[in-house]
Amino acid sequence: MSAAPALIDAFGRHITYVRISVTDRCDLRCRYCMAEKMTFLPRSAVMSLEEIAAISDAFIDRGVRRIRLTGGEPLVRRGVPELARMIGARLGDGLDELTLTTNGTRLADHAITLREAGVRRINVSLDSLDPARFRHITRVGDLDPVLAGIDAARGAGLSIKINMVALKGLNEDEIEPMLRWCAARGHDLTLIETMPLGAMDEDRVDRFLPLDGVKAKLAERHAMTPLGDRTGGPARYVRMDDLGIRLGFITPLSENFCATCNRVRLTVSGELFMCLGSERKVDLRAAWREGGREGIDAALDRALAAKPLAHDFHIDARGAAPAVDRHMSVTGG
Ligand code: SAM
Ligand code: SF4
């Protein structure tokens, strides 16, 4: 590995984890994530896969040990399995883990290639096991290909964590069934609170379901052991002792997690956001095009100085405008 200095921000937080959005496009339109009619970036604004691989290399040389590919839907972009192979070549050479977050619609086609690229764990988003509800939440999606994708991933030997956004009045009655479905198949489950990102058609305040209440209700029926293993992210995990799986809670609004934050996010157009909930950014694509590797290193140093102490999220009782006018599909969830 190179002797380039590690990425340590002004508050002493060590950046070891990067999420990379490889496309802002998606084949679904989940109500909490996208508007029904979205305008996507023009092709000219999108980094090439080679640029993404080069920037990933620079991150790894500066001490990043985990990379997650996300989007939009990463598997709708042609060549993403090859990108996984390029980045995966650094596994064991600075990189500890390469992972992917997907909606699962195209997983059946790519599970084996991802495994061959060195991916061992993936997150699959699944908010309902009921086909009609799945269609309602995603606006356009069919449940069956997603379930087939999950089966294919399991068959390929990938370990799977299901991500479920908890939506008041939409799927809250499915939390317990989802937990049992995951337990029967050996998948971990993470419940996510809706976050106020991007202008949306629906009122997020109406759908916001605080997870502390969900957790308290689950604790009445299940024995849970809190797990201390912190990933540096917003998730807190418990072991469900009766079900034998881990259950995570991502609660950016009801519990602040910023002090241990170890991550930054790269958009598909090369903007590096130092925090999901803040507008501060640097342009790594421009830095790469103008200055190559040295340009990236200088831009990363500027970015470190800009990482904020805490996010700016805020949902108030009156349904305030989103703190950040940028969709999750752009920054990468
Ligand atoms: N398309 C892929 C997927 O759905 O897994 C990857 C990108 S998606 C933006 C990543 C994660 O962010 C998903 O689990 C999704 O449910 C979650 N997400 C999207 N918008 C959100 C929001 N406003 N609040 C909370 N989670 C959100
Ligand atoms: Fe697409 Fe994922 Fe957003 Fe749903 S959550 S619209 S699958 S990017």
Side-chain angles (χ1 to χ4, degrees):
M1 241 204 286
S2 111
L7 298 170
I8 299 174
D9 77 1
F11 305 98
R13 294 169 298 186
H14 199 149
I15 310 303
T16 54
Y17 181 23
V18 180
R19 292 185 175 224
I20 302 177
S21 176
V22 298
T23 177
D24 62 331
R25 291 165 195 256
C26 187
D27 52 349
L28 303 183
R29 293 287 182 278
C30 303
R31 288 168 188 274
Y32 49 78
C33 177
M34 290 196 181
E36 194 160 11
K37 291 197 172 59
M38 291 288 288
T39 311
F40 295 108
L41 291 168
R43 207 165 283 271
S44 60
V46 169
M47 282 193 292
S48 70
L49 297 177
E50 289 70 25
E51 283 173 322
I52 297 175
I55 293 174
S56 301
D57 256 338
F59 272 118
I60 296 165
D61 287 341
R62 297 215 39 191
V64 163
R65 308 194 71 90
R66 288 173 65 207
I67 291 181
R68 177 177 296 279
L69 303 181
T70 178
E73 171 47 39
L75 296 179
V76 302
R77 180 162 179 188
R78 208 173 305 140
V80 164
E82 287 67 40
L83 173 67
R85 215 187 284 279
M86 285 189 257
I87 301 175
R90 293 294 307 264
L91 285 162
D93 175 22
L95 187 65
D96 292 341
E97 188 175 48
L98 174 63
T99 54
L100 178 95
T101 300
T102 175
N103 64 25
T105 58
R106 302 185 185 196
L107 201 45
D109 292 338
H110 299 301
I112 290 173
T113 322
L114 290 170
R115 166 89 199 185
E116 285 169 358
V119 175
R120 293 291 174 268
R121 299 193 305 151
I122 56 170
N123 289 357
V124 183
S125 301
L126 182 60
D127 299 328
S128 176
L129 289 167
D130 175 81
R133 263 197 205 173
F134 183 83
R135 166 64 60 93
H136 175 77
I137 294 171
T138 61
R139 289 202 187 93
V140 293
D142 290 323
L143 180 61
D144 280 348
V146 176
L147 297 181
I150 294 171
D151 280 345
R154 194 159 72 144
L158 297 174
S159 103
I160 298 162
K161 182 156 73 71
I162 301 294
N163 279 349
M164 177 183 190
V165 176
L167 300 160
K168 190 155 98 188
L170 267 188
N171 68 357
E172 55 183 305
D173 60 335
E174 278 198 73
I175 293 175
E176 178 82 33
M178 184 70 84
L179 199 51
R180 293 188 180 281
W181 184 83
C182 287
R185 305 168 52 91
H187 306 322
D188 290 336
L189 174 65
T190 294
L191 301 174
I192 305 177
E193 273 176 2
T194 47
M195 285 180 256
L197 293 174
M200 221 71 54
D201 303 341
E202 296 205 12
D203 187 352
R204 276 171 310 280
V205 176
D206 281 352
R207 295 293 176 210
F208 179 66
L209 180 65
L211 289 181
D212 44 1
V214 169
K215 190 173 179 180
K217 270 199 197 137
L218 287 173
E220 290 168 8
R221 290 189 297 272
H222 301 275
M224 294 180 188
T225 308
L227 294 172
D229 53 333
R230 300 214 155 175
T231 54
R236 298 291 170 260
Y237 293 95
V238 297
R239 171 150 290 283
M240 304 297 288
D241 295 321
D242 53 342
L243 298 175
I245 60 169
R246 291 194 331 157
L247 174 63
F249 299 89
I250 299 190
T251 55
L253 296 174
S254 60
E255 193 185 351
N256 190 292
F257 52 85
C258 303
T260 56
C261 179
N262 64 352
R263 58 194 56 194
V264 293
R265 293 175 155 83
L266 182 65
T267 71
V268 68
S269 48
E271 294 166 312
L272 182 71
F273 282 93
M274 302 307 285
C275 169
L276 183 59
S278 159
E279 298 288 358
R280 298 185 202 178
K281 61 181 177 185
V282 296
D283 185 347
L284 282 192
R285 180 170 76 156
W288 167 248
R289 289 186 179 176
E290 286 155 23
R293 190 49 180 271
E294 280 175 22
I296 295 188
D297 276 329
L300 287 176
D301 290 334
R302 283 201 306 282
L304 282 172
K307 186 167 166 66
L309 182 57
H311 64 63
D312 304 330
F313 291 145
H314 180 58
I315 274 192
D316 70 23
R318 287 165 288 110
V324 174
D325 185 25
R326 162 162 51 86
H327 288 265
M328 181 83 101
S329 52
V330 173
T331 330

